[in-house]
Coordinates of all heavy atoms in Angstrom, one line a residue:
I1 N 116.7 36.4 104.1 CA 118.1 36.7 104.5 C 118.9 35.4 104.6 O 118.4 34.4 105.2 CB 118.1 37.4 105.8 CG1 117.4 38.8 105.7 CG2 119.6 37.7 106.3 CD1 117.2 39.4 107.1
L2 N 120.1 35.4 104.0 CA 121.0 34.3 104.2 C 122.3 34.8 104.9 O 122.9 35.7 104.5 CB 121.5 33.7 102.8 CG 122.4 32.6 102.8 CD1 121.8 31.4 103.6 CD2 122.9 32.2 101.4
V3 N 122.5 34.3 106.1 CA 123.6 34.7 106.9 C 124.8 33.8 106.6 O 124.7 32.5 106.6 CB 123.2 34.6 108.4 CG1 124.5 35.0 109.3 CG2 122.1 35.5 108.8
L4 N 125.9 34.4 106.4 CA 127.2 33.6 106.1 C 128.3 33.9 107.1 O 128.3 35.0 107.7 CB 127.6 34.0 104.7 CG 126.7 33.7 103.5 CD1 127.2 34.3 102.2 CD2 126.6 32.1 103.4
P5 N 129.2 33.0 107.2 CA 130.3 33.3 108.2 C 131.4 34.2 107.7 O 131.3 34.6 106.6 CB 130.9 31.9 108.4 CG 130.6 31.2 107.1 CD 129.3 31.7 106.6
P6 N 132.4 34.5 108.5 CA 133.4 35.5 108.1 C 134.2 35.1 106.9 O 134.5 35.8 106.0 CB 134.2 35.7 109.3 CG 133.4 35.3 110.5 CD 132.5 34.2 110.0
R7 N 134.6 33.8 106.9 CA 135.5 33.2 105.8 C 134.7 32.3 105.0 O 134.1 31.3 105.5 CB 136.7 32.6 106.4 CG 137.7 33.5 107.1 CD 138.8 32.8 107.8 NE 138.3 32.1 109.0 CZ 138.1 32.6 110.1 NH1 138.3 33.9 110.3 NH2 137.7 31.8 111.2
L8 N 134.6 32.6 103.6 CA 133.8 31.8 102.8 C 134.6 30.8 101.9 O 135.7 31.2 101.4 CB 133.1 32.7 101.8 CG 132.1 33.8 102.4 CD1 131.4 34.5 101.3 CD2 131.1 33.1 103.4
T9 N 134.1 29.6 101.9 CA 134.7 28.6 101.0 C 134.3 28.9 99.6 O 133.4 29.7 99.3 CB 134.3 27.2 101.4 OG1 132.9 27.1 101.2 CG2 134.6 26.9 102.8
A10 N 134.9 28.2 98.6 CA 134.5 28.4 97.2 C 133.0 28.0 97.1 O 132.3 28.7 96.3 CB 135.4 27.5 96.3
S11 N 132.6 27.0 97.7 CA 131.1 26.6 97.7 C 130.3 27.6 98.2 O 129.2 27.9 97.7 CB 130.9 25.3 98.5 OG 130.6 24.3 97.7
A12 N 130.7 28.3 99.4 CA 129.9 29.3 100.0 C 129.8 30.5 99.0 O 128.7 31.2 99.0 CB 130.5 29.7 101.3
R13 N 130.8 30.8 98.3 CA 130.8 31.9 97.4 C 129.8 31.6 96.2 O 129.1 32.5 95.8 CB 132.2 32.2 96.9 CG 133.1 32.9 97.9 CD 134.3 33.4 97.3 NE 135.2 32.4 96.8 CZ 136.2 31.8 97.5 NH1 136.4 32.1 98.8 NH2 137.0 30.9 96.9
T14 N 129.8 30.4 95.8 CA 128.9 30.0 94.8 C 127.4 30.1 95.3 O 126.6 30.7 94.6 CB 129.2 28.5 94.3 OG1 130.4 28.4 93.8 CG2 128.1 28.1 93.3
L15 N 127.2 29.7 96.5 CA 125.8 29.8 97.0 C 125.4 31.2 97.3 O 124.2 31.6 97.1 CB 125.7 29.0 98.3 CG 125.8 27.5 98.1 CD1 125.7 26.8 99.5 CD2 124.6 27.0 97.2
R16 N 126.4 32.1 97.7 CA 126.1 33.5 97.9 C 125.7 34.1 96.6 O 124.7 34.9 96.5 CB 127.4 34.2 98.4 CG 127.2 35.7 98.6 CD 128.4 36.4 99.1 NE 129.6 36.2 98.1 CZ 130.8 36.7 98.4 NH1 131.1 37.3 99.5 NH2 131.7 36.5 97.5
A17 N 126.4 33.9 95.5 CA 126.1 34.4 94.2 C 124.7 33.9 93.7 O 123.9 34.7 93.1 CB 127.2 34.0 93.2
T18 N 124.4 32.7 94.0 CA 123.1 32.1 93.6 C 122.0 32.8 94.4 O 120.9 33.1 93.8 CB 123.1 30.6 93.8 OG1 124.2 30.0 93.1 CG2 121.8 30.0 93.4
A19 N 122.2 33.0 95.7 CA 121.3 33.6 96.5 C 120.9 35.0 96.1 O 119.8 35.5 96.1 CB 121.7 33.5 98.0
L20 N 122.0 35.8 95.8 CA 121.9 37.2 95.3 C 121.0 37.2 94.0 O 120.2 38.0 93.9 CB 123.2 37.8 95.1 CG 123.9 38.2 96.4 CD1 125.4 38.6 96.1 CD2 123.2 39.3 97.1
R21 N 121.4 36.3 93.1 CA 120.7 36.3 91.9 C 119.2 35.9 92.1 O 118.3 36.4 91.3 CB 121.3 35.2 90.9 CG 120.6 35.0 89.6 CD 121.4 34.2 88.7 NE 121.9 33.0 89.3 CZ 121.2 31.8 89.4 NH1 119.9 31.9 89.1 NH2 121.7 30.8 90.0
R22 N 118.9 35.2 93.1 CA 117.5 34.8 93.4 C 116.8 35.9 94.3 O 115.6 35.6 94.7 CB 117.4 33.4 94.0 CG 117.9 32.4 93.0 CD 117.9 31.0 93.6 NE 116.5 30.6 94.0 CZ 116.1 29.3 94.2 NH1 117.0 28.3 94.0 NH2 114.9 29.0 94.6
G23 N 117.5 36.9 94.7 CA 116.8 38.0 95.4 C 116.9 37.9 96.9 O 116.3 38.7 97.6
L24 N 117.8 37.0 97.4 CA 117.9 37.0 98.8 C 118.9 38.1 99.3 O 119.7 38.5 98.6 CB 118.5 35.6 99.3 CG 117.5 34.5 99.5 CD1 117.1 33.9 98.2 CD2 118.2 33.4 100.4
R25 N 118.7 38.6 100.5 CA 119.6 39.5 101.1 C 120.7 38.7 101.8 O 120.4 37.8 102.5 CB 118.9 40.4 102.1 CG 119.8 41.3 102.9 CD 119.1 42.1 104.0 NE 120.1 42.8 104.9 CZ 119.8 43.3 106.0 NH1 118.6 43.3 106.5 NH2 120.7 43.9 106.8
I26 N 122.0 39.1 101.6 CA 123.1 38.5 102.2 C 123.6 39.3 103.3 O 123.8 40.5 103.3 CB 124.2 38.3 101.1 CG1 123.7 37.4 99.9 CG2 125.4 37.5 101.8 CD1 123.2 36.0 100.3
V27 N 123.8 38.6 104.5 CA 124.5 39.2 105.6 C 125.7 38.4 105.9 O 125.6 37.2 106.3 CB 123.6 39.3 106.8 CG1 124.3 39.8 108.1 CG2 122.3 40.1 106.6
E28 N 126.9 39.0 105.8 CA 128.2 38.3 106.1 C 128.7 38.8 107.4 O 128.8 40.0 107.7 CB 129.2 38.6 105.0 CG 128.8 37.9 103.7 CD 129.8 38.1 102.6 OE1 131.0 38.0 102.9 OE2 129.5 38.4 101.4
A29 N 128.9 37.8 108.3 CA 129.5 38.2 109.7 C 130.9 38.6 109.6 O 131.7 38.1 108.6 CB 129.3 37.0 110.6
T30 N 131.4 39.4 110.5 CA 132.8 39.8 110.5 C 133.5 39.0 111.7 O 134.7 39.1 111.9 CB 132.9 41.3 110.8 OG1 132.2 41.6 111.9 CG2 132.4 42.1 109.6
A31 N 132.8 38.2 112.4 CA 133.3 37.5 113.5 C 132.4 36.3 113.8 O 131.3 36.3 113.3 CB 133.6 38.3 114.8
S32 N 132.8 35.4 114.7 CA 132.0 34.3 115.0 C 131.0 34.7 116.1 O 131.0 34.3 117.2 CB 132.8 33.1 115.5 OG 133.6 32.6 114.4
A33 N 130.1 35.6 115.7 CA 129.0 36.1 116.6 C 127.8 36.5 115.7 O 127.9 36.5 114.5 CB 129.6 37.2 117.4
V34 N 126.8 36.8 116.4 CA 125.6 37.2 115.7 C 125.9 38.5 114.9 O 126.4 39.5 115.5 CB 124.4 37.5 116.7 CG1 123.2 38.0 115.9 CG2 124.1 36.3 117.5
P35 N 125.7 38.6 113.6 CA 125.9 39.8 112.9 C 125.3 41.0 113.5 O 124.1 41.0 114.0 CB 125.4 39.5 111.5 CG 125.4 38.0 111.4 CD 125.1 37.5 112.8
E36 N 126.0 42.2 113.5 CA 125.5 43.4 114.2 C 124.1 43.7 113.6 O 123.9 43.8 112.4 CB 126.5 44.5 113.9 CG 126.1 45.8 114.6 CD 127.1 46.9 114.5 OE1 128.2 46.6 113.9 OE2 126.9 48.0 115.0
G37 N 123.2 44.0 114.5 CA 121.8 44.4 114.1 C 120.8 43.3 114.1 O 119.7 43.4 114.3
L38 N 121.3 42.1 113.8 CA 120.4 40.9 113.7 C 120.3 40.3 115.1 O 121.2 40.2 115.9 CB 121.0 39.8 112.8 CG 121.1 40.2 111.3 CD1 121.5 38.9 110.5 CD2 119.8 40.7 110.8
G39 N 119.1 39.9 115.4 CA 118.9 39.3 116.7 C 118.6 40.3 117.9 O 118.2 39.9 118.9
S40 N 118.9 41.5 117.7 CA 118.6 42.5 118.8 C 117.1 42.8 118.8 O 116.4 42.6 117.8 CB 119.4 43.8 118.5 OG 119.1 44.3 117.2
P41 N 116.6 43.4 119.9 CA 115.2 43.7 120.0 C 114.8 44.6 118.8 O 115.4 45.6 118.6 CB 115.1 44.4 121.3 CG 116.2 43.9 122.1 CD 117.3 43.7 121.2
G42 N 113.7 44.2 118.1 CA 113.2 45.0 117.1 C 114.0 45.0 115.8 O 113.8 45.8 114.9
W43 N 114.9 44.0 115.7 CA 115.8 44.0 114.5 C 115.0 43.7 113.2 O 115.3 44.2 112.1 CB 116.9 42.9 114.6 CG 116.4 41.5 114.5 CD1 116.0 40.7 115.5 CD2 116.5 40.7 113.3 NE1 115.7 39.5 115.0 CE2 116.0 39.4 113.7 CE3 116.8 40.9 112.0 CZ2 115.8 38.4 112.7 CZ3 116.7 39.9 111.1 CH2 116.2 38.7 111.4
A44 N 113.9 42.9 113.3 CA 113.1 42.7 112.1 C 112.5 44.0 111.6 O 112.5 44.2 110.4 CB 111.9 41.7 112.5
E45 N 112.0 44.8 112.5 CA 111.5 46.1 112.1 C 112.6 47.0 111.5 O 112.4 47.8 110.6 CB 110.8 46.8 113.3 CG 109.5 46.2 113.8 CD 109.7 45.0 114.6 OE1 110.9 44.6 114.9 OE2 108.7 44.3 114.9
G46 N 113.8 46.8 112.0 CA 114.9 47.6 111.6 C 115.3 47.3 110.1 O 115.8 48.1 109.4

């Protein structure tokens, strides 16, 4: 998983596209906080 912040720079968008092409899962936050579902108890199983 690659976690990204709410606002992406041009470089971040390039890395996001590269990560997707390489099979990584992308999680983009909607605020400056832990993305919903990540970090909570049992989130790995989720």
Side-chain angles (χ1 to χ4, degrees):
I1 298 169
L2 179 63
V3 178
L4 297 172
R7 291 175 293 278
L8 301 185
T9 63
S11 244
R13 289 193 291 272
T14 297
L15 290 178
R16 177 182 61 182
T18 303
L20 285 170
R21 178 170 48 78
R22 293 180 61 163
L24 276 74
R25 175 186 167 192
I26 302 298
V27 175
E28 293 184 42
T30 56
S32 293
V34 179
E36 185 176 356
L38 294 187
S40 60
W43 74 272
E45 289 77 7

